[in-house]
Amino acid sequence: MELTLNVRRGGTRRSADDSHQAYHVDVEPETSVFEALVKVREEQDGTLAFRGNCGVGFCGDCTMLVNGRQEVVCLMPVGKAQKDDEIKIDPIPYAPTVKDVMYDAKRFIWDKVNSFSPGVVFNGVEQVTEEELSPVRRAMRCTMCGICDQGCTVIDVNLDFKGPAALNKVFRYVFDPRDGRAKERVVEAGETNGVWDCVHCWEASDHCPFDIDPTHRIMELRDRSVRLGVKSGTGNRQAARHYNAFERSVEHHGWLDERNVAIQSYGGLIRGGLKMMPTGLAALRRGKANLLPHRKRPGASAIKALFARYREVTRTER
Amino acid sequence: MNRFAFYPGCVSKGSCPELYESVEQVMDLLDIEVEELTDVGCSGAGVLTTEVSDPINARTLAKAEQMGLALMTICSTCQGVIGAAALRLQDPEYRAFINKEYLAAEGLEYKGTTEVKHFLWVLVEDVGLDELKALVRRPLEGMGFSPFYGCYLRRPADVVGRRERRTYIEKITEVLGGTVVNISGKGKCCGFPSLTINEPNALAMTAKHTGEAKDNGADAMVTPCPLCHLELDGEQTQAAAAARRTIEMPILHLPQMVGLALGLDPKGLGLGRHFVSTAKIVAQLEPVEAAVSAT
Amino acid sequence: MHDVLVVGGGIAGLRAALAASSRGAEVAIASRSHPTRSYSVAIQDGLNAALLPGDAWEAHAADTSAWGDGLCVPEVVEAVCRSAPELVRELDQLGVPFNRSGGRNGTALACLKLRGARTARAAYVDDMAGLVLTQTLYEQAVRAGITFYEEWTATSLAVGDGACTGVVALEQATGELQLLGAKAVVLATGGPRRLYEPSTASLHCTGDGIAMAYRAGAPLVDMEFVQYHPAVLKGQRMAITEIAWAHGAALATAGGTGVGEDDPGPGAFLRAIGQAAVANGGHVELSGTWDADQAKGLFYNTSYRVKQLTGLDMAKEPLPVRPAMHRLLGGVAVDAGGATSIEGLYAAGECAGTGFHGAAGLDGNFLLSAVSSGRAAGLAAADHASSTKEPDAAGGALDRDRTRVAEALRRPGGEPLAAMRRELGGLMHAHVGMVREAVGLQEAAQRIAEMKETHGSLGAGSEGRDYNFGLAHYLDLGSLLDVAEAVVASAHAREESRGVHFRSDHAARDDARWSVHQLVSASEAGPVLRESPPGA
Ligand SMILES: Cc1cc2nc3c(=O)[nH]c(=O)nc-3n(C[C@H](O)[C@H](O)[C@H](O)COP(=O)(O)OP(=O)(O)OC[C@H]3O[C@@H](n4cnc5c(N)ncnc54)[C@H](O)[C@@H]3O)c2cc1C
Ligand code: SF4
């Protein structure tokens, strides 16, 4: 089919009216967008910059926006991607751009991945079961294509957030029974911009092409972290305060007292109270909430018993 | 008549009483009958480890099951967290573990049959858009609403179920006579989960979504999630300041928007209780048709 | 100046770097792409090792030699097969989550029975051994503090006084050439798949390391042995995993006639499929007896990608496949420790001719060979580095390449280069593919010589320096033509049929005359061949 590829050209500076260059190619509908771009680069314009190597969806290096959607372009046939025989190609927007449609993978992915202690540190455990290893294997389907990071609502507002791809990598270590550093790793992952800054919006799971379900992996990492007695990194007490306040509220009252939790998360009555004061007063004035703490609910004692049981169950399993 | 076991969640009984009050009035008009579960616990909101929130939610599900009713929520987060627990509890082995270790002590057992439904889904799937349309007394004509779902009503796909559920707010808005003002962030995170952990992130998200609604010309945003409301409404002023702009975008709870169209009194729906003033919306409302208000 | 510089960041390169580092050497890796973007990631199947009770390394060695059709180097086969179980356990402890057998609570390493093996012998990681090994080795390389030159393309070896003192490399982001000096260099740049069309080639499979060594005077070995993959998706470059065969895949023509069922040797098997494909409109059909759940469990990674690429569901529909060039079995001639004929220069992985595969490679032995040759070369290079004084960096190569590149930047490129590569691919497939004969080989040799001439008059097509892919295409084609010349000359000389080398004009194996390896070296007058007995 005769196809027009409108490819963003230019350097690091992005703008709403980035210029696009039109290339015409004749390819089969089953040809991938990647192969079509390679053909353009080889035959028409050797200055066109994009990454990608394997062509079969394993190297994870060819992530781009195809008609506004992020794709691993070697797995996207042109016949499926085109609209009226045209395909618009842009670099992914959350990452800094290097040239044309090439993004800064070092900044966007590798510096974050490698900021967590890399490599399994063998702890001598040789007898590991299929049940223990299969979740690790699922996490290791990751090609570092960065599509989850590209969908991440936190990275959208803060490029320094480690993001699902890097946190999924931590999962791979922490859940590998042959690694001896789980506790250190969850502490590392618990620092600012780490696992507790995830807002569990499930975008990552929605985006990952390889069914790794990265949001779930992050939540499991948090669960494991709590199990290991770690509720945030050493430089990030805020997350632990929030967790503990939340837990206390539900444990003792059966339900959540948002204002009290907020106050305690901000560091207790004095600091938290001051911080909450403007909002609190405004709320009072509007009759939005009463000043008194929530009353206990009728089921509170049953909930408390569940907590007690949970502590027993997890202790014996630990 | 539709009957449900009702799980109002913590926030509608705490910081967002207007949600609880408005949904009660709207349910009356829509002939939805509920039995409120009062002795159950907080879902854990995705904050608590599932190791303790699953038992709590299994208990809630078991109580609804005993009543023979589906569970209705009015909070995206409650819906998502209890829904996900219900899905995990479909695994017989895991369910047996939770029953044995946790519920048995109270003489409860969860059999895995409870359906969990958000009020938004009930409106479309149980009440029906035609029925809803027939009850409109004050079409929201000339008013633009930006939908804002709350993550858990969009994702994960297996917990949310039917894909159409991702467009229900738009459908309802149209049936009520309003105009949908789309925003790209309608399915994204409001920022609330990060509010006490990484506040700048949270405020940036809030400013982004409310700002987009404003830029696209919406009169208000509407959300089925009280946590999104707390964030988008309660934190909007700080968020706008951090983003160095003015926004002033009113945020309505879903039942408030429905209630307005059904002819209910804005004050009674709690519109005066928001942080961001809803006065402009209220001023735009047509008087309820005399004939109807007489009945 | 590094102790050890590894060129290439695939499985062989990463394993070599880790080995060298474990000996205390200071190590750097220069690679064309980020290491985890190397083609090694695409390997779906596993690696052979006599792990199961009842199996023995001797049996593994015997199967390897039988498949290799009389041309495996016995000492290498013994060394590799003996060490294979340990290599797998080492990888496991570095963090590769190999599949276990015996259900959810099973702990023993699981093995698959691949074609040519008498028993189940391939350790595997679902259907993504390559991805997981590459990622795991990369994790460990970062942990070991290895220096990375990412997106640097080596263009020449720096050789002074008969010893290798580093490589000249092009930093893609700036277009600048630099000399990366080292006491020892390990080439691990992968194979030259892009010589052929169709093939399973990735963009970077241009045989750069083989060409660099050849140009620097190191002999290449076993270059006539080019192995096809039996089942590559029609119109694509994706190979269907051997795991499918281990789970009962079969090939048939449209009429339902089975293909290659009587399990002949590798060459005959591949040729049978090739012929059936030609007769059947370009492809045969691959199908199996697995259901949807099995397909998702056994080969999720393959079936997902097949679905994306073709829209076909492996669990329900047959896949159109045909053979495509997969693997050059030869490469830079090395000894058992990975040393080439140039002092301080080592080679490992797909660019090395170790003699392990002989005339045909067994499935599961390639990955094994990448790991074992990588480790061996890394250790030997580290030892060499520790006993070598810092050499004078030889600047000649750098100056030569700077001039070469500056000139190329001014010459036209683009379509003429692309056309030449397309022609080369077709030429190699037609005349130097699964079936060869003298006339076609002579024609290919002639055409390749002409192309080399023309290539010299072409260039990058534009003068920009940052990420100039036109320059890369020009350099790539240069490598491919050098490798092509060596392959054709070797295939032409070997007037017999053996393993995957089939001469229709010399259809029989001729042990009396051809129980030898051929070494090929570059000269002004073209490739020069020499013979050496197996094991020498
Ligand atoms: C699709 C596929 C399936 C396979 N299946 C199996 C199997 O099932 N079982 C089996 O045993 N074997 C299999 N193999 C073969 C085997 O595993 C490979 O031979 C092996 O992984 C090669 O590793 P390598 O490190 O030598 O090469 P590669 O992984 O190709 O790495 C080459 C490296 O060199 C770099 N490079 C190249 N040129 C330059 C340059 N000029 N300068 C700097 N760097 C350069 C590249 O960037 C890359 O980092 C398969 C191979 C493929 C492609
Ligand atoms: S988790 Fe999925 S989406 Fe994210 S980088 Fe890995 S493969 Fe890509």
Side-chain angles (χ1 to χ4, degrees):
Chain A
M1 62 190 293
E2 298 274 344
L3 197 70
T4 305
L5 297 169
N6 293 309
V7 189
R8 185 263 179 190
R9 300 304 307 271
T12 51
R13 202 192 300 229
R14 303 291 310 280
S15 73
D17 48 344
D18 269 351
S19 65
H20 288 73
Q21 187 165 344
Y23 296 103
H24 306 284
V25 274
D26 189 5
V27 287
E28 301 299 319
E30 310 81 72
T31 309
S32 70
V33 173
F34 178 69
E35 297 283 346
L37 282 166
V38 167
K39 193 167 155 72
V40 164
R41 188 165 70 184
E42 284 192 354
E43 295 172 3
Q44 302 178 28
D45 187 350
T47 69
L48 178 62
F50 61 89
R51 287 202 186 84
N53 178 28
C54 80
V56 288
F58 278 104
C59 80
D61 216 6
C62 66
T63 304
M64 303 169 200
L65 281 194
V66 177
N67 287 336
R69 260 183 69 100
Q70 48 276 65
E71 302 283 356
V72 173
V73 296
C74 68
L75 292 180
M76 171 52 62
V78 293
K80 207 158 126 191
Q82 55 81 34
K83 265 196 209 109
D84 304 327
D85 298 336
E86 289 196 8
I87 299 178
K88 186 161 171 252
I89 312 273
D90 286 280
I92 53 173
Y94 293 176
T97 302
V98 175
K99 183 187 175 195
D100 299 339
V101 287
M102 211 183 239
Y103 70 93
D104 186 347
K106 185 172 171 339
R107 172 85 175 85
F108 194 59
I109 296 180
W110 295 109
D111 286 351
K112 296 179 186 182
V113 169
N114 292 333
S115 72
F116 296 117
S117 305
V120 164
V121 181
F122 185 54
N123 56 6
V125 176
E126 291 190 9
Q127 300 293 310
V128 289
T129 64
E130 188 56 25
E131 186 167 17
E132 292 169 311
L133 286 182
S134 61
V136 175
R137 232 178 273 129
R138 182 175 181 191
M140 290 191 84
R141 284 180 195 162
C142 177
T143 63
M144 294 289 164
C145 68
I147 288 198
C148 55
D149 289 342
Q150 179 51 44
C152 173
T153 39
V154 184
I155 291 185
D156 184 20
V157 298
N158 174 8
L159 185 55
D160 291 331
F161 176 54
K162 304 288 185 188
L167 293 171
N168 177 61
K169 185 67 127 178
V170 181
F171 174 96
R172 166 256 182 289
Y173 297 130
V174 170
F175 281 76
D176 194 322
R178 301 164 303 182
D179 178 75
R181 303 191 67 240
K183 193 148 178 177
E184 291 91 326
R185 291 184 194 280
V186 292
V187 171
E188 248 181 38
E191 301 298 350
T192 302
N193 290 325
V195 73
W196 300 100
D197 281 13
C198 167
V199 295
H200 35 98
C201 66
W202 304 96
E203 286 276 8
S205 292
D206 220 34
H207 277 73
C208 174
F210 305 113
D211 193 25
I212 289 166
D213 207 347
T215 318
H216 245 119
R217 306 290 83 79
I218 295 175
M219 297 313 280
E220 283 170 359
L221 202 51
R222 276 158 67 144
D223 284 3
R224 177 64 64 96
S225 186
V226 171
R227 186 56 101 87
L228 292 167
V230 176
K231 289 161 188 162
S232 61
T234 46
N236 180 24
R237 285 283 163 238
Q238 190 68 14
R241 270 201 295 268
H242 179 67
Y243 190 96
N244 290 333
F246 199 111
E247 187 179 59
R248 247 193 319 271
S249 176
V250 179
E251 180 165 4
H252 295 294
H253 302 278
W255 61 340
L256 179 67
D257 184 341
E258 312 87 56
R259 279 157 307 131
N260 214 4
V261 167
I263 287 172
Q264 293 185 19
S265 308
Y266 281 125
L269 209 53
I270 310 261
R271 239 182 68 199
L274 277 176
K275 169 127 183 77
M276 294 291 293
M277 192 93 88
T279 334
L281 285 178
L284 261 187
R285 209 168 44 241
R286 292 181 167 82
K288 194 170 162 64
N290 54 35
L291 244 194
L292 300 171
H294 291 188
R295 279 167 296 117
K296 279 194 183 183
R297 279 197 184 178
S301 58
I303 302 297
K304 196 163 183 171
L306 289 184
F307 269 90
R309 187 80 196 111
Y310 147 70
R311 293 189 206 290
E312 267 168 50
V313 169
T314 54
R315 186 171 315 115
T316 51
E317 273 183 32
R318 218 178 275 195
Chain B
M1 157 97 56
N2 292 297
R3 291 190 73 221
F4 294 93
F6 180 35
Y7 182 88
C10 309
V11 180
S12 80
K13 307 219 84 175
S15 302
C16 287
E18 71 279 5
L19 169 61
Y20 187 81
E21 288 157 17
S22 58
V23 83
E24 280 209 310
Q25 297 171 52
V26 168
M27 287 192 303
D28 264 356
L29 293 181
L30 297 178
D31 221 5
I32 300 173
E33 189 172 296
V34 295
E35 270 182 64
E36 184 172 329
L37 294 170
T38 51
D39 62 346
V40 293
C42 165
S43 72
V47 173
L48 292 185
T49 168
T50 52
E51 294 195 85
V52 69
S53 65
D54 277 1
I56 297 177
N57 292 322
R59 183 171 172 275
T60 307
L61 291 163
K63 296 224 165 212
E65 193 174 62
Q66 276 185 342
M67 295 155 78
L69 296 173
L71 185 71
M72 186 178 84
T73 63
I74 52 172
C75 165
S76 300
T77 305
C78 296
Q79 172 65 37
V81 174
I82 302 178
L87 201 62
R88 275 192 292 278
L89 289 163
Q90 289 297 305
D91 174 8
E93 218 175 298
Y94 185 55
R95 195 167 63 236
F97 164 76
I98 297 282
N99 279 330
K100 174 165 165 286
E101 293 294 339
Y102 291 98
L103 303 195
E106 255 191 284
L108 279 172
E109 187 198 347
Y110 179 49
K111 301 197 181 64
T113 63
T114 305
E115 194 189 0
V116 192
K117 280 187 125 175
H118 190 281
F119 173 66
L120 172 69
W121 304 346
V122 169
L123 278 182
V124 177
E125 293 163 13
D126 299 278
V127 175
L129 289 172
D130 293 339
E131 174 69 13
L132 188 59
K133 188 169 189 162
L135 290 168
V136 171
R137 298 290 173 262
R138 179 161 56 195
L140 304 175
E141 259 151 34
M143 298 168 72
F145 296 92
S146 289
F148 196 86
Y149 279 83
C151 300
Y152 282 95
L153 287 195
R154 307 276 297 188
R155 297 169 299 272
D158 53 349
V159 181
V160 173
R162 316 179 192 178
R163 268 199 87 78
E164 316 83 85
R165 287 178 170 169
R166 298 180 178 213
T167 53
Y168 280 179
I169 304 184
E170 288 90 321
K171 292 212 172 98
I172 290 171
T173 306
E174 280 164 8
V175 161
L176 301 180
T179 308
V180 176
V181 178
N182 228 327
I183 55 170
S184 66
K186 69 180 171 193
K188 296 230 164 116
C189 174
C190 62
F192 185 80
S194 212
L195 185 59
T196 51
I197 293 174
N198 191 328
E199 194 178 8
N201 286 356
L203 295 183
M205 291 178 200
T206 300
K208 195 165 177 141
H209 305 314
T210 53
E212 190 186 0
K214 178 169 176 105
D215 296 341
N216 293 358
D219 293 301
M221 290 170 82
V222 56
T223 178
C225 178
L227 297 180
C228 294
H229 193 274
L230 277 181
E231 176 71 27
L232 299 177
D233 180 49
E235 303 299 322
Q236 194 183 114
T237 314
Q238 292 88 304
R244 294 167 205 282
R245 60 175 299 188
T246 49
I247 297 175
E248 286 167 16
M249 174 57 54
I251 316 291
L252 299 188
H253 294 285
L254 173 70
Q256 289 178 325
M257 176 176 79
V258 176
L260 290 176
L262 299 191
L264 293 170
D265 169 36
K267 189 145 185 286
L269 289 169
L271 260 67
R273 290 182 170 176
H274 296 190
F275 285 91
V276 177
S277 167
T278 54
K280 277 193 192 151
I281 303 261
V282 174
Q284 279 185 60
L285 291 172
E286 305 282 332
V288 179
E289 292 161 46
V292 181
S293 58
T295 58
Chain C
M1 175 69 61
H2 299 285
D3 286 349
V4 174
L5 176 70
V6 178
V7 188
I11 288 174
L14 289 165
R15 190 66 194 83
L18 278 176
S21 169
S22 74
R23 284 272 161 103
E26 182 277 326
V27 185
I29 293 180
S31 61
R32 234 183 123 147
S33 61
H34 184 280
T36 70
R37 315 302 192 184
S38 301
Y39 202 34
S40 282
V41 294
I43 302 160
Q44 296 146 297
D45 334 350
L47 71 167
N48 294 338
L51 288 159
L52 297 190
D55 198 7
W57 73 263
E58 291 90 343
H60 180 189
D63 287 348
T64 301
S65 302
W67 210 249
D69 219 359
L71 220 55
C72 297
V73 178
E75 302 76 58
V76 172
V77 171
E78 174 175 342
V80 176
C81 296
R82 240 182 212 284
S83 64
E86 187 202 330
L87 289 171
V88 170
R89 276 190 208 104
E90 234 171 49
L91 288 167
D92 200 60
Q93 295 179 0
L94 289 173
V96 175
F98 283 108
N99 286 65
R100 302 310 207 247
S101 63
R104 277 163 63 171
N105 296 317
T107 57
L109 286 170
C111 287
L112 290 169
K113 184 179 179 314
L114 301 182
R115 191 177 313 112
R118 69 186 71 181
T119 177
R121 188 184 287 141
Y124 61 103
V125 192
D126 288 352
D127 57 341
M128 51 170 184
L131 176 65
V132 173
L133 258 73
T134 310
Q135 293 278 359
T136 306
L137 292 171
Y138 174 70
E139 293 162 1
Q140 294 292 346
V142 178
R143 179 173 166 222
I146 285 159
T147 305
F148 292 96
Y149 296 94
E150 285 155 23
E151 302 192 337
W152 285 62
T153 310
T155 52
S156 287
L157 299 173
V159 180
D161 293 337
C164 182
T165 58
V167 301
V168 179
L170 178 87
E171 186 182 18
Q172 293 166 27
T174 61
E176 295 301 329
L177 285 156
Q178 311 254 359
L179 179 68
L180 304 178
K183 293 179 189 167
V185 170
V186 180
L187 289 174
T189 50
R193 293 185 173 80
R194 287 210 109 204
L195 257 186
Y196 283 76
E197 201 59 53
S199 78
T200 56
S202 83
L203 287 191
H204 298 166
C205 293
T206 51
D208 289 3
I210 303 176
M212 283 188 282
Y214 182 62
R215 287 198 292 263
L220 313 178
V221 69
D222 291 339
M223 295 297 282
E224 61 272 42
F225 298 108
V226 171
Q227 186 157 332
Y228 277 56
H229 191 288
V232 176
L233 275 183
K234 187 185 181 184
Q236 311 277 349
R237 53 185 75 259
M238 170 124 191
I240 300 305
T241 172
E242 299 291 336
I243 294 177
W245 262 269
H247 289 283
L251 295 172
T253 58
T257 318
V259 181
E261 280 170 345
D262 46 353
D263 210 14
F269 173 71
L270 288 162
R271 284 191 300 281
I273 299 169
Q275 280 158 9
V278 170
N280 191 47
H283 69 273
V284 291
E285 293 187 334
L286 180 148
S287 50
T289 50
W290 46 79
D291 62 25
D293 280 346
Q294 283 173 319
K296 216 176 161 187
L298 296 171
F299 24 82
Y300 167 84
N301 292 283
T302 310
S303 58
Y304 171 77
R305 285 166 174 84
V306 166
K307 177 94 190 166
Q308 292 296 306
L309 288 166
T310 63
L312 294 171
D313 183 348
M314 259 182 101
K316 298 193 191 118
E317 299 156 283
L319 305 178
V321 297
R322 67 347 183 191
M325 186 281 198
H326 190 48
R327 200 27 239 241
L328 171 68
L329 300 179
V332 186
V334 293
D335 68 13
T340 69
S341 65
I342 298 177
E343 193 191 327
L345 180 67
Y346 300 79
E350 213 172 307
C351 70
T354 60
F356 176 55
H357 304 301
L362 206 52
D363 292 325
N365 266 357
F366 298 121
L367 183 51
L368 171 62
S369 159
V371 173
S372 81
S373 68
R375 185 174 74 159
L379 294 175
D383 289 347
H384 177 79
S386 70
S387 63
T388 307
K389 287 207 308 288
E390 204 158 288
D392 291 334
L398 179 60
D399 293 340
R400 267 197 310 282
D401 274 6
R402 283 197 170 142
T403 311
R404 182 159 74 108
V405 164
E407 285 172 6
L409 285 171
R410 286 194 294 273
R411 288 195 299 261
E415 173 55 23
L417 276 181
M420 210 190 291
R421 197 186 60 75
R422 287 196 303 265
E423 185 192 337
L424 181 62
L427 187 74
M428 295 298 285
H429 178 64
H431 297 311
V432 204
M434 290 187 285
V435 180
R436 301 147 172 199
E437 44 127 12
V439 183
L441 290 165
Q442 277 152 12
E443 192 186 317
Q446 173 76 29
R447 221 13 230 138
I448 288 164
E450 289 162 13
M451 285 188 195
K452 283 184 87 161
E453 283 282 324
T454 319
H455 180 256
S457 68
L458 292 169
S462 74
E463 296 196 45
R465 288 240 169 210
D466 59 328
Y467 290 111
N468 187 329
F469 286 90
L471 178 61
H473 297 151
Y474 168 76
L475 296 172
D476 288 351
L477 188 57
S479 295
L480 290 174
L481 287 166
D482 286 339
V483 177
E485 165 185 299
V487 171
V488 174
S490 307
H492 185 235
R494 184 177 285 276
E495 295 186 327
E496 65 148 359
S497 292
R498 180 186 295 271
V500 293
H501 171 71
F502 180 77
R503 288 281 300 257
S504 55
D505 48 355
H506 299 278
R509 171 168 145 175
D510 178 357
D511 282 341
R513 167 69 187 85
W514 282 108
S515 291
V516 291
H517 296 273
Q518 297 191 92
L519 293 162
V520 53
S521 308
S523 83
E524 285 294 324
V528 178
L529 288 163
R530 203 152 47 84
E531 290 169 16
S532 85

